[in-house]
C-alpha cells in the first residue's frame, strides 16, 4: 500500500495562515492527480486538486487556499490564508492516476494519507 504523509497542521486564530505538506512516493508527485480533502464529523470534501499544472478549488476556499507542488521534494503543499473557524477539520491528501477535480469524492482516489488536524479559533 502506497503511503502519503501529511504535516503542518496546528491551531491558529481566525485570520491566520498555515501551510500543509503532503509527501508522496516519488512517481506520484508529477504524474498523479493530488487532492487535498478536509474531513469533519459528517462531512468530507475536496478543497483543492492539482494535475499536470491544472488546479481546481472548492468555492468555499477560492482566493484563500493555494495548492502547489515541488516534485524535487515529492511534496504537495496547501497554503491556507485568512483561515476561518469553519476551516477546522482533519486535512488529508489523496492521489488518483487520472484527471480529477474538487467535485470528486473520496472514493475516486485510490491512495490517501492519515491527515493533519487544523483548528481555527475565533
Amino acid at each position: 500500500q502506497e503511503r502519503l504523509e501529511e504535516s503542518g497542521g496546528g491551531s491558529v486564530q481566525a485570520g491566520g495562515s498555515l501551510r500543509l505538506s503532503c509527501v508522496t512516493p516519488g512517481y506520484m508527485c508529477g504524474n498523479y492527480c493530488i487532492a487535498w480533502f478536509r474531513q469533519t464529523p459528517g462531512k468530507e470534501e475536496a478543497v483543492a486538486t492539482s494535475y499536470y499544472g491544472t488546479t481546481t478549488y472548492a468555492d468555499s476556499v477560492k482566493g484563500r487556499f493555494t495548492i502547489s507542488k515541488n516534485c524535487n521534494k515529492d511534496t504537495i503543499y496547501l497554503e491556507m490564508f485568512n483561515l476561518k473557524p469553519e476551516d477546522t477539520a482533519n486535512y488529508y491528501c489523496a492521489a488518483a492516476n487520472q484527471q480529477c477535480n474538487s467535485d470528486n469524492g473520496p472514493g475516486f482516489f485510490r491512495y490517501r494519507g492519515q491527515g493533519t488536524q487544523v483548528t481555527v479559533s475565533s
Side-chain angles (χ1 to χ4, degrees), residues 38 45-47 57-62 64-65 84 87:
R38 62 185 180 189
E45 63 171 345
V47 295
Y57 296 93
D59 288 344
S60 59
V61 305
K62 279 181 182 175
R64 299 189 299 121
F65 290 13
K84 304 176 181 180
D87 294 320

Side-chain angles (χ1 to χ4, degrees), residues 10-18 38 40 45 47 58-65 79-91 117-122:
S11 297
V12 296
Q13 291 192 324
S17 302
L18 282 173
R38 62 185 180 189
T40 58
E45 63 171 345
V47 295
D59 288 344
S60 59
V61 305
K62 279 181 182 175
R64 299 189 299 121
F65 290 13
E79 295 187 276
M80 306 184 294
F81 303 97
N82 190 22
L83 283 161
K84 304 176 181 180
E86 52 264 42
D87 294 320
T88 294
N90 182 55
Y91 285 73
Q117 179 68 31
V118 172
T119 302
V120 185
S121 58
S122 58

Side-chain angles (χ1 to χ4, degrees), residues 4 19-36 48-57 65-79 93-101 109:
L4 284 70
R19 187 178 77 163
L20 307 183
S21 299
C22 170
V23 178
T24 71
Y27 68 91
M28 279 191 186
C29 183
N31 299 305
Y32 277 52
C33 190
I34 306 296
W36 279 99
T49 67
S50 177
Y51 184 61
Y52 283 111
T54 298
T55 58
T56 68
Y57 296 93
F65 290 13
T66 301
I67 187 170
S68 63
K69 293 182 177 180
N70 182 346
C71 291
N72 289 328
K73 297 184 177 181
D74 299 325
T75 303
I76 296 85
Y77 303 101
L78 184 68
E79 295 187 276
C93 56
N97 190 15
Q98 58 185 306
Q99 187 171 8
C100 69
N101 60 61
F109 298 85

